[in-house]
Amino acid sequence: MLERIEEIRAEANAAIGAAASSAELEELRVRYLGRKAELTGVLRGIADLAPEERGKVGGAANKARKELEALLEASAERLDASELDARLVADRVDVSLPGAPPRAVGHTHLIARTTRQIEDIMVGLGYSVAEGPEIEHDYYNFTALNHPPGHPARMLQDTFYVRSHPEVLLRTHTSPMQIRAMETQPPPIFIVIPGKVYRRDSDATHSPMFHQMEGLAIAEGLTLADLQGTLLAMVRGIFGGEREVRLRPHFFPFTEPSVEVDVSCFQCEGTGTLADGERCNLCKGQGWIEILGAGMVDPNVLGFVADSGYDPERVQGFAFGLGIERVAMLRHGVPDLRRFFDNDVRMLEQFS
Amino acid sequence: MKVPYSWLREYCDPGVAPEELAERLVMTGTEVERVTIAGPPSAESFVVGKVLSAEQHPDADRLRVCAVDVGDGERTIVCGAPNVAAGQTVAVALPGARMPGGEKLRKAMLRGVASEGMILAADELEVGDDHDGILVLDEGLSAGAPLSEVLPLAEPVLEIEVTPNRVDCFGVHGVAREVHAISAAPLAADPWAQDAAAEGQGEVSDYASVTVEVPDLCPRFTARVFTEVEIGPSPIWLRARLAAAGQRPINNVVDITNYVMLLTAQPLHAFDLDKVPGGALTVRVAAEGEKMTTLDDVERTLDAETVLVCDGNGPSGIAGIMGGQVSEVSAETTRVLLEVANWNGTNILRTSRQLGLRSEASSRFEKQLHPVLCWRAQAIASRLMLEICGAKLVPGTIDVVGEIPEPRRIRLRAARVKGLLGMTVAQADQVSYLERLGFGVEVDGEDLEVEVPPDRHYDVTREVDLIEEVARVHGIDEHLPTTLPAVARTVGGGLTREQRLCRRAEDGLRDLGFDQAVGWSFTDPGEPGRLRIPDDDPRADPVLMSNPLSEDQSAMRTMVLGSLLDIASRNVARGVDRLALFEAGSVYLRGAPPADGPLAGAFRGKISAPATEPLRFAALALGPLAARSWRGDAEAVDFFALKGDLEALARQLGAEFAFAPAAEPFLHPGRAAAVSVGGEAAGWIGELHPLVCRAWDLDAAVAFEVDAAPLLAAASAGEETYEDVTTFPAAYQDLAVVLPTEVAATTVREAILAGGGELLRSADVFDLFEGAQLGEGRKSLALSLEFRAPDRTLTDAEVTGLRDAIKATLEKIGGTLRE
Ligand SMILES: [Zn+2]
């Protein structure tokens, strides 16, 4: 009997080891360990054996059964793994096909993005952001900004007027908000004013609608040197930390002294010449690019808000205004101002 | 203002190349747009020649073969000019000369005769536009002398953009004073210092009289009379100078008036005295509707604020702007009345704008000249009249003048200079800068007492103006320190909550797949009509402009939708088949804005804005929202797809929109909703009406437009408070309710929420079923419910109780629960 058990064990062991699929393995399990299997019969018939035989045969049969069970389990795991592998290998796709498209990715308009960038720089310098009306009173757009009626300086900006309201116009600059802000808040005041402005002009470098960013700082003891430092910080924030600014005296009716501000060219590093020896096209070989107008707020302007706490003998400060589109054009090589308002998605989608 | 360099150097020679001077001018506040060259680019190979003989060309009727002495021998030059003759002294370009425009002159065969150069006409040297005959020079010149000794060749010209405050720089002498100030190079004696000798017959009052009826508009009128005037072309130096300055030479008298204006900035006007009846001039305002023909041959209708210079027959010129034809100086003129007047700048500007007529004179007068300048101009012009026209000056000057303003005296405090600029300028430097600029200066301790010269009377009126003069001559670029205002740090800036939420909304829409657009604020007045908006709707009554660039841009938009449709239409025309656009932008409505609200603005000012400009978030989508794919194409966007985006926008801000069926003329009547938030109307969403789509050449599109103000008011983003969701678990249940089809899902949801009370935290529709087994006109909605109490775990009994309550509220709206 013991020999038979050993035979069965050896035979089953070899068969299980050779099994090539889980189906075959299941067949072997039924054959060697199923209800009708010989070994099962042996175990079932132990009670019929002579008492001195029972222990030995029972022990050998149980040991064989446990060994075969363990073997079957190990083989099953082995076969499962290789069958899964085979199944996975068969289940292949062409990974070079394009992925399923998500909803299209949206894009922030370059004007909005540039506006935010400059706002953030100025917020970092302690400024607040103020917005204001685009349809304005002549008083705020001109008179209170030291452009008296009949003054030639008014002709610098060709103005859209509102029909049947000769004193109402589309603001030609964001500067009217200087006055509204000062009327509302006593000094010190540090604000930037982004927004749309309008001038009656249309070509590659002029659009009847465009965007400006105004800055206004009024407090005790602010100087032209402070203006230079503020503009340097702003320009470096926009165009990079290596930039320099250059202030050239100029004329604006609402600042005195007034300056035009150049930034050192970021394409040629201010040399006017590119690496290949060609003249820099961005600054036209000058090494400097005109970027904005600025100046010390004219005492006449403060005079219009004197009863809001702006005594020109006590407080003073500076203002500046730059064109958002001009900054974006320089930074990103946009050749024509009008492209910003075409809203051609092929352009919109170039700027994430 | 074009300033020929040789002319400038006559008064102040900085001793540097014009480009270097230009750079220095730019850095001190005089904008030099460019430095150009008038005439040929180089003086080389231009010489004086003597015509020895001029013979008919054997093979060409209109050509002459000339022998010309050019100093180093005789040359054969073929010439086409009819006036060439032996004995003339002429200007010759030899082979190798560079002509204006850069072309190099070569030897040429002209009908078989070799020509070794060219005898020049005025226009070929750019000293005038005369091409009819060659330029005949002064006989005293010797053959072979460089032509540049006779007239300026390769003349550098500074093109200056004069700012409106610096009327003095509309004259070469003013620019010369500026050059003197910034370079310290010596300034020549004032050219008006010496007047002409008056050797004419009688007295000026024997010839002419002037009456000024409007002294406030004509502060000064001076007139002189010249007799024995010989009209002719100006000498070549004068013609060359005018041409280089951009002024066409006409005849010697007119050229003198232009020359003196370009030198002093003071315009002049010459009358043929014999065409002025009785020599009597009157300055008066026009009668309303009065007509006259100006020198440019245009008949103009005048108004009652237009100032005229009239003679006995009527208007002879519009004061300060343009003369008339009646008393123009002509070849027959022998007696000249020279007017040098001063006009009210504001009035000149007004009239010039009114008539759409600007001239060299008006562009100077409109900036307000000082009355003192009249005498300067008379003095220089008189000397030239005698010298060039051989005229005799009649003794005396008519001078009708009111009060001449006293020179301004301004105190310049050293402390203010430093306090405003943030840099110190030594007192001695301040004095020398101001004196070089023509100011009178007295030192008073630390400070200065400054007297303003007449040229700068209307420009420099305050201490701050003097500070600017000191700063710019001192050199801002070179000397100004770079500092930051310390106080800004303590003020503290930042975005307001509304500004942050607006950015969040823009980012939210972008992240939902929309491209941001920036549309025109302008539209055409026909847009509301194309949107089918009825005339009595306020949106059909836009703010209109009185002077638009075109009818297409004459109205301010009342809706963002029109802009998005325009943009969509252009993109679709270019072949785009799916589009998702948004704009965060204003519309413009009649009437003053509300006094408060989240977008009323932190800085409103004292006078309310003339119009209301609500900020809107608007979007438009068409076609599928995802690209075409080999896995199958996405469905085209419809009402619910866009509604999902609008709901997501609100949730990103911590708000929730409510939707109710509503009609808008531009929307599909069955697929449109009014949008509200926090109980306030906010806007609309819907599929666009097919007729609107057709008007913009689109197949179909879905859009929404909501006001930012109520959305931001309802937003909780940033203001949330923590809620415990972990301690006590929620209970989840689904329920299905059968109701009449016409009961809106919102009504059902509201009924359920009402029934569930505050323990019912959410109820969301997840299924809609309509089928025969429910019966005609009925539908089944399925919702998932979440119950939670903040302080305990809800028992089954409690939830069952709530469910019963919900069942009861649903029954009130005709719903029955499907168990
Ligand atoms: Zn460059």
Side-chain angles (χ1 to χ4, degrees), chain A residues 265-274 280-289:
Chain A
C265 181
F266 46 88
Q267 182 169 287
C268 62
E269 299 297 333
T271 61
T273 311
L274 299 176
C280 176
N281 59 324
L282 198 61
C283 62
K284 303 192 171 52
Q286 300 294 301
W288 295 95
I289 301 168

Side-chain angles (χ1 to χ4, degrees), chain A residues 6 34 47 61 71 78 119 123 134 149 175 200-201 236 239 302 304 306:
Chain A
E6 176 54 25
L71 201 58
R78 174 177 54 80
E119 283 174 359
V123 161
E134 296 163 29
S175 314
R200 223 175 151 277
D201 220 342
R236 286 183 172 176
F239 294 106
L302 297 179
F304 280 96

Side-chain angles (χ1 to χ4, degrees), chain A residues 98 107 119 129 134-135 137 159 161 163 180 183-184 198 200 226 256 298 300 316 343 345-346 349, chain B residues 419 462 465 468 483 499 503 515-516 518 521 544 546-547 574 588 604-608 613 630:
Chain A
H107 299 79
E119 283 174 359
V129 179
E134 296 163 29
I135 300 177
H137 296 288
T159 310
Y161 286 90
R163 193 181 291 179
R180 287 187 180 274
E183 283 178 345
T184 314
Y198 303 86
R200 223 175 151 277
D226 290 333
E256 185 84 357
D298 194 291
N300 288 4
Q316 61 194 36
N343 295 289
V345 289
R346 294 170 302 183
E349 293 177 359
Chain B
R462 303 155 308 165
D465 302 320
E468 177 176 61
T483 55
Q499 286 163 346
R503 284 190 176 193
D515 285 333
Q516 186 174 18
V518 175
S521 305
L544 300 171
S546 59
N547 58 340
R574 281 191 285 257
Y588 307 86
R604 292 171 39 75
K606 288 186 172 163
I607 308 168
S608 185
E613 303 177 17
W630 54 274

Side-chain angles (χ1 to χ4, degrees), chain A residues 4 7 30 43 58 83 94 96 113-114 144 182 218 220 225 229 231 249 269 282 290 307 327 335 351:
Chain A
R4 184 58 198 148
E7 265 177 42
V30 171
L43 282 163
E83 278 172 11
D94 176 0
S96 69
R113 201 174 80 177
T114 308
M182 288 191 281
I218 306 282
E220 284 179 31
L231 294 176
E269 299 297 333
L282 198 61
E290 187 181 317
D307 59 0
V327 171
F351 302 98

